[in-house]
């Protein structure tokens, strides 16, 4: 591989590490404000990471190579590995007494906005640590949207190029007009976060809780400041507010940019939006009626909990307003299958994503039509656009790799001694970046604190694979990738 390419990748990673070390000063100041001695952990960690980053940046500084697919694949993987490692450092050196596997798992869960946690005692934890977890998720959300909007469509492994809805088609120029869209995206991301925080604060959360939950809601991350997650608040209003923002942030941010900046209502006609909202409503209403009829729960209460929890699962946020596995077998099965599905491309949500279901459905329908009229020519469409062969192949490759990794990971977890529900749901909740799994151990009323280090490493890898759309990581295993 070209050494100039490796040097440039390390240089960019070092700069990102420097930015993240600067972000550590925020929780340090929070601890100072609350009089907590943990500020020194963040200060020392920031100095250590900052020093290493500056050294690496100075050693690798030079003219950048032309951006290529090979550089894109390598850069994405290196950046997310660096983010995960840097995020784990303050957690590892804190008073939490975590193993490195636990600290890394918590950091990966934050950066990938998964929301699974190995921590207990959140209600009494140092405020700086809580802010650090929330901040990592919020920053991870920015990185995820940038990944889905600008990089993955170019690499042809995921994402739907939102530039097609504009008058100019950028083809193989993934960063054309990037400054305009980046400014609009950051402005909308920050604005939605502030609105969410104000809404939480007005309807009963403390200022501190409102800040942290706004950061993790908009990132669809799901980290909470309480062990009971959202069940701690027990509020109709807060549940519906969270449901609204989780749902909005599961929609493509490119659509939100076009809608809010240019006022184009036609942007909301994206097929994946209709599909996502459709299966969200179907899951939530069916589970609410089931809970109402089976358990006698008042229908308005059942609807608020059902919409909240299924919005949390499908947006891959990971909050829980109560233990929905106690509603009955249908609710458990619905939650399990919803874990696979996810939100929309170009959002902070994970999972398989709605646009792939749209494309796959059209491919299957065309295949069935060909059985009736073998000589007819049918094109696979996504809305008004024809889906090219490369995108169709990428969708099939993704599905195949996704299921393969889920099966292999589930077998590995079962080999470690976990039952089928725990093993399979732990892997799919990590791969889909959802958060809670199924069962008493890792369900909505549990967490991952009882798992051993080897299993945490497996799940950390699964979280990264899922967040990077699987193929982006697997391509590094192909020997051809490393040949000059």
């Amino acid at each position: 591989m070209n050494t100039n390419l490796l040097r440039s990748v390390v240089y960019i990673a070092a700069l990102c590490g420097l930015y993240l070390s600067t972000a550590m000063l925020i929780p340090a100041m929070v601890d100072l404000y609350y009089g907590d001695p943990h500020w020194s952990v963040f200060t020392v960690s920031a100095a250590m990471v900052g020093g290493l980053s500056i050294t690496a940046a100075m050693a690798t500084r030079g003219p950048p190579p032309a951006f290529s697919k090979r550089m894109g694949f390598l850069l994405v993987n290196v950046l997310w590995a660096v983010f995960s490692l840097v995020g784990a450092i303050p957690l590892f050196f804190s008073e939490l007494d975590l193993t490195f596997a636990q600290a890394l798992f918590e950091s990966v869960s934050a950066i990938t906005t998964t929301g699974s946690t190995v921590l207990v005692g959140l209600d009494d934890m140092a405020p700086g640590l809580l802010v650090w977890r929330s901040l990592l998720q919020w920053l991870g959300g920015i990185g995820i949207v940038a990944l889905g909007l600008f990089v993955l469509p170019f690499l042809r492994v995921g994402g739907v190029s939102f530039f097609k809805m504009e008058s100019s088609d950028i083809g193989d120029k993934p960063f054309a007009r990037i400054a305009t869209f980046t400014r609009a995206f950051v402005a909308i991301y920050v604005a939605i976060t502030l609105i969410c925080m104000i809404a939480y604060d007005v309807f009963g959360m403390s200022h501190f809780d409102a800040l942290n939950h706004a950061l993790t809601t908009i990132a669809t991350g799901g980290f909470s400041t309480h062990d009971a997650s959202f069940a701690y608040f027990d509020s109709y209003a807060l549940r519906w507010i969270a449901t609204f923002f989780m749902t909005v942030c599961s929609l493509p941010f490119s659509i939100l940019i076009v809608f809010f900046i240019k006022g184009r209502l036609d942007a909301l006609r994206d097929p994946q939006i209709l599909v996502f909202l459709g299966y969200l409503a179907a899951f939530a209403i069916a589970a609410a009626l089931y809970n109402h009829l089976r358990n006698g729960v008042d229908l308005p209460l059942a609807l608020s909990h059902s919409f909240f929890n299924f919005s949390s699962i499908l947006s891959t946020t990971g909050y829980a307003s109560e233990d929905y596995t106690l509603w009955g077998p249908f609710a458990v099965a619905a939650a399990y299958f919803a874990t696979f599905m996810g939100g929309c491309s170009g959002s902070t949500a994970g999972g398989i994503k709605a646009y792939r279901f749209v494309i796959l459905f059209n491919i299957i329908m065309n295949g069935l039509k060909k059985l009736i009229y073998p000589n007819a020519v049918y094109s696979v469409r996504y809305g008004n656009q024809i889906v090219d062969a490369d995108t169709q192949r990428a969708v099939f490759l993704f599905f195949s790799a996704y299921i393969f990794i889920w099966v292999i990971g589930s077998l590995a977890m079962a080999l470690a001694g976990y039952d089928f529900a725990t093993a399979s749901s732990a892997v799919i909740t990590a791969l889909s970046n959802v958060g809670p799994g199924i069962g008493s151990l890792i369900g909505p009323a549990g967490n991952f604190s009882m798992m051993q280090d080897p299993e945490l490493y497996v799940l950390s890898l699964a979280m990264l694979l899922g967040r990077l759309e699987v193929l982006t990581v697997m391509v590094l295993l192909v020997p051809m990738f490393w040949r000059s």
Side-chain angles (χ1 to χ4, degrees), residues 138-199:
W138 192 79
L139 294 173
I142 292 178
I144 288 160
V145 176
L147 188 73
L149 293 185
F150 305 123
V151 180
L152 294 182
F154 173 71
L155 300 179
R156 306 307 294 269
V157 296
V160 174
S161 181
F162 72 107
F163 294 100
K164 301 275 185 174
M165 72 177 72
E166 293 294 300
S167 58
S168 60
D169 184 353
I170 65 167
D172 281 341
K173 299 176 182 178
F175 300 112
R177 303 177 63 189
I178 188 173
T180 301
F181 282 95
T182 300
R183 284 194 297 269
F185 159 59
V186 172
I188 290 174
Y189 194 79
V190 172
I192 295 176
T193 304
L194 292 173
I195 294 169
C196 182
M197 180 180 68
I198 293 169

Side-chain angles (χ1 to χ4, degrees), residues 30-91:
V30 171
D31 276 337
L32 277 173
Y33 176 79
Y34 283 98
D36 192 284
H38 256 89
W39 67 269
S40 60
V41 173
F42 287 103
T43 303
V44 172
S45 298
M48 181 175 65
V49 173
L52 290 173
S53 298
I54 291 172
T55 302
M58 293 178 64
T60 55
R61 187 177 181 180
F67 187 84
S68 63
K69 289 187 177 182
R70 180 176 292 185
M71 180 179 179
F73 284 121
L74 186 60
L75 181 60
V76 166
N77 281 277
V78 170
L79 284 180
W80 286 82
V82 168
F83 289 161
S84 300
L85 290 170
V86 171
I89 289 174
L91 298 171

